[in-house]
Amino acid sequence: MLLTVTSRNVLLPDYDLPRPATINVDLRTGKIIEVRLRYIGDGACRESWAPGELHFVDAGDKTVLPGLVDAHVHLEEPGNQDWEGFWTGTQAAAAGGVTTLIDMPVDSSPPTTTPRNLDIKRHSARGQCWIDVGFWGGAIPQNQAESGPLLSAGVRGFKCFLIDTGIEEFPCVSENDLHAHMSYLQNSVMIFHAEMQAASSPARHRLNPRSYQEFLSSRPKELEIDAITLITRLQAIYPSVSCHIAHLSAAAALPIIRAAKDCGSKLSVETCFHYLCLSAEDIPDGATEYKCTPPIREDSNRNLLWDALVDGTIDCVTSDHSPCLIEMKGLECGDFMEAWGGVSSLGLGLSLLWTEGKKRGISLGQIIRWMTIRNAELAGLSGTKGQLKVGHDGDLVIWDPEPEFKVSKEHLYFKNKLTPYEGMTLKGLVHKTFVRGRLAYDSALQDGFTGLQPSGELL
């Protein structure tokens, strides 16, 4: 059984621009078995089936991309599946061309901090995933001894917080905790929520809780600078541990990161769509759908983050899709200090980055490196995910870069349909998503999924 996808525009490894090619996927193994540098269609954008043998897709001028990899997603099941869940979250991902995501350990109950809790999460996920899903483990005080068993059970690495999470089951770690954890984690990954509140920080008086500028000043860049200074110091002590800075917001920390990388540190950095596509100056008071931590900063800061992506200081871009019940955002009172933090964007990322990137002269190849190849490397999946090459999984996306659409709730497949991007005009639409050669999303179907079955695997 074979899936053949051909197009005049296929984005292959080592190219910034698409070129004519044909991809063959063995449906028995889900692997790419041939890449031919030739378009073999007739431009009719048609599909044909030979029952039991061949599924042929002529994408014509549409672009064929490797399936996207999002290494920072909060699916929140079990325990908080009314916030998000495996079924709705992976549907949203598939509709946006994401074929692999790595779930964060923190917002589910129980959190992914022991092998038993990982088993509970896997049990919840089985049969619900439209794409492939992996898991990060959680590093909290006193669970250092769980690190080895969690790695053996299949987590891709660990996530910790250097600042209070507001979640009783997932407390932040101290520097002493980190020494204990990192001594266990030889040749593994530690991901940091890199904000750190100094013990001597003065208490802030709440003047206007609806003011975005008040909220922004409550999470100053110094929290990120102090945390990243600690991370680079720890990485020098434990050089075999790969340290990853999640959702970098403060461009003021970039010189510290550059200096560490120049010294050969095993340090990687991500930023997120909301830090690249939104600016503090444009956020209305009371608009708590924009609240996240670290916060969205000024436009001048955003430009520096883009520069750091281009020069390689920042390695990758993720969604940090972190939804909650709409009522937890407190839209009626608009209190930024009390509202739950997190931006929902799963399924919109490619269009967001393409729309903003085109204004800045960014190529499609650069976007795919940031959204896919580098995320696969972070999660230890670079041998199977993120590129259209022989031996990799047959994860493909048929995408049209030209159409414009105005984001509305009908474009949102995640559970709680609240996002700061609603009303924004974006470019680029996903037409089909294949996971291991199996159709996972088709825009021509009613709701994109009618008649299909979830076939994603747990990594």
Side-chain angles (χ1 to χ4, degrees):
M1 297 176 64
L2 194 69
L3 168 69
T4 296
V5 178
T6 190
S7 170
R8 295 189 182 95
N9 296 291
V10 180
L11 191 66
L12 298 174
D14 303 320
Y15 291 92
D16 274 349
L17 299 174
R19 58 183 298 164
T22 300
I23 311 291
N24 288 324
V25 180
D26 185 337
L27 294 178
R28 293 166 297 187
T29 64
K31 298 290 185 181
I32 297 172
I33 58 171
E34 185 181 27
V35 178
R36 300 168 63 186
L37 299 180
R38 188 161 64 91
Y39 171 60
I40 61 171
D42 58 12
C45 296
R46 60 187 172 83
E47 292 188 51
S48 62
W49 290 84
E53 296 178 12
L54 174 66
H55 181 193
F56 178 82
V57 180
D58 178 1
D61 290 328
K62 293 184 176 68
T63 303
V64 177
L65 302 173
L68 307 177
V69 179
D70 192 338
H72 192 150
V73 177
H74 298 261
L75 292 181
E76 300 169 336
E77 186 175 0
N80 289 314
Q81 56 266 31
D82 50 348
W83 300 13
E84 189 59 278
F86 289 104
W87 185 273
T88 51
T90 58
Q91 278 196 337
V98 176
T99 55
T100 305
L101 67 78
I102 314 297
D103 177 61
M104 281 292 169
V106 58
D107 288 321
S108 57
S109 184
T112 318
T113 51
T114 68
R116 179 178 179 274
N117 291 356
L118 175 63
D119 286 343
I120 293 170
K121 180 169 279 192
R122 286 179 174 275
H123 180 75
S124 297
R126 287 193 182 97
Q128 293 204 74
C129 295
W130 292 82
I131 66 169
D132 288 352
V133 175
F135 302 95
W136 297 116
I140 60 174
Q142 279 81 55
N143 84 324
Q144 296 90 342
E146 307 288 357
S147 301
L150 276 166
L151 285 169
S152 297
V155 300
R156 315 308 304 182
F158 296 88
K159 168 74 177 292
C160 70
F161 282 73
L162 300 181
I163 197 167
D164 181 45
T165 65
I167 298 172
E168 185 176 350
E169 292 180 287
F170 208 103
C172 63
V173 291
S174 67
E175 183 175 347
N176 286 338
D177 295 325
L178 286 169
H179 282 289
H181 273 290
M182 294 176 76
S183 65
Y184 273 87
L185 295 180
Q186 304 300 310
N187 301 310
S188 188
V189 177
M190 179 67 88
I191 301 173
F192 295 84
H193 181 119
E195 290 180 288
M196 190 167 68
Q197 188 80 51
S200 59
S201 297
R204 294 190 58 85
H205 298 289
R206 292 178 55 182
L207 300 177
N208 178 7
R210 288 179 52 82
S211 165
Y212 185 76
Q213 289 303 317
E214 283 285 319
F215 169 65
L216 180 57
S217 65
S218 76
R219 308 290 287 223
K221 62 187 178 183
E222 286 77 15
L223 272 62
E224 292 186 74
I225 291 169
D226 290 347
I228 290 168
T229 300
L230 172 62
I231 293 164
T232 56
R233 180 159 53 82
L234 288 168
Q235 212 287 316
I237 298 170
Y238 304 98
S240 67
V241 179
S242 296
C243 294
H244 180 76
I245 297 167
H247 44 50
L248 178 72
S249 163
L254 290 169
I256 303 168
I257 294 165
R258 288 191 178 102
K261 287 192 167 191
D262 287 346
C263 291
S265 175
K266 290 175 67 176
L267 181 70
S268 58
V269 184
E270 74 184 53
T271 192
C272 301
F273 305 124
H274 38 283
Y275 304 129
L276 297 169
C277 299
L278 302 172
S279 300
E281 294 91 337
D282 299 325
I283 298 177
D285 288 349
T288 51
E289 64 269 31
Y290 289 85
K291 180 183 176 179
C292 57
T293 54
I296 297 161
R297 302 190 188 277
E298 299 83 0
D299 196 58
S300 57
N301 181 90
R302 179 168 73 112
N303 291 331
L304 292 172
L305 294 179
W306 274 102
D307 292 343
L309 265 174
V310 171
D311 71 23
T313 305
I314 297 175
D315 300 274
C316 54
V317 184
T318 66
S319 68
D320 188 13
H321 175 70
S322 186
C324 63
L325 294 173
I326 291 175
E327 51 264 36
M328 293 171 68
K329 283 290 189 179
L331 298 174
E332 299 80 6
C333 59
D335 187 332
F336 277 102
M337 303 303 180
E338 295 297 327
W340 188 264
V343 170
S344 296
S345 64
L346 198 53
L348 299 175
L350 178 57
S351 296
L352 285 164
L353 215 58
W354 176 242
T355 302
E356 183 64 29
K358 282 198 74 173
K359 302 173 188 175
R360 299 168 181 268
I362 301 300
S363 73
L364 183 58
Q366 288 173 292
I367 288 173
I368 294 303
R369 277 197 292 277
W370 299 332
M371 288 188 67
T372 298
I373 297 172
R374 299 292 181 246
N375 280 317
E377 291 171 355
L378 172 65
L381 297 170
S382 58
T384 56
K385 300 291 186 184
Q387 299 184 70
L388 297 177
K389 60 192 299 186
V390 172
H392 276 52
D393 290 344
D395 300 340
L396 304 93
V397 178
I398 298 177
W399 177 71
D400 190 339
E402 295 304 323
E404 290 189 345
F405 67 99
K406 189 172 185 178
V407 178
S408 64
K409 286 182 172 54
E410 71 181 30
H411 298 106
L412 308 178
Y413 287 87
F414 46 82
K415 187 167 288 183
N416 287 277
K417 301 184 188 306
L418 179 68
T419 179
Y421 302 112
E422 188 168 0
M424 186 180 290
T425 299
L426 303 179
K427 287 181 69 74
L429 284 172
V430 170
H431 284 261
K432 296 180 190 295
T433 301
F434 295 88
V435 177
R436 301 173 187 263
R438 307 286 179 180
L439 187 61
Y441 169 80
D442 187 340
S443 64
L445 299 175
Q446 182 181 356
D447 81 7
F449 298 95
T450 298
L452 304 179
Q453 294 295 322
S455 61
E457 298 185 9
L458 303 183
L459 304 175

